[in-house]
Amino acid sequence: MISYGLGMGRILLIIAAIIAALFLIGPLMGLVFGLVKWGLIIGAVALGVMFLSKWAKRT
């Protein structure tokens, strides 16, 4: 009986830790994906500017 009680408490503690970690990871993942998104946008704009400048030099 006592080991069952400890096991149940440990399982609840693990579940609570996982939920807390997910709450903490959520905003961090949002920040990471936001930075990646802006990096891709800035990279695409820079690539477009390079392409247009090369095309303008040719004409």
Side-chain angles (χ1 to χ4, degrees):
M1 286 290 192
I2 294 172
S3 63
Y4 174 75
L6 285 174
M8 195 67 179
R10 192 172 290 149
I11 290 169
L12 289 172
L13 190 66
I14 290 169
I15 291 171
I18 290 171
I19 291 171
L22 288 174
F23 272 111
L24 291 172
I25 287 172
L28 288 175
M29 290 303 287
L31 180 68
V32 168
F33 282 121
L35 289 174
V36 168
K37 179 185 73 174
W38 281 109
L40 288 172
I41 289 170
I42 290 169
V45 168
L47 204 66
V49 167
M50 272 180 19
F51 177 75
L52 284 174
S53 67
K54 283 185 180 179
W55 181 76
K57 283 180 185 174
R58 254 189 253 157
T59 56

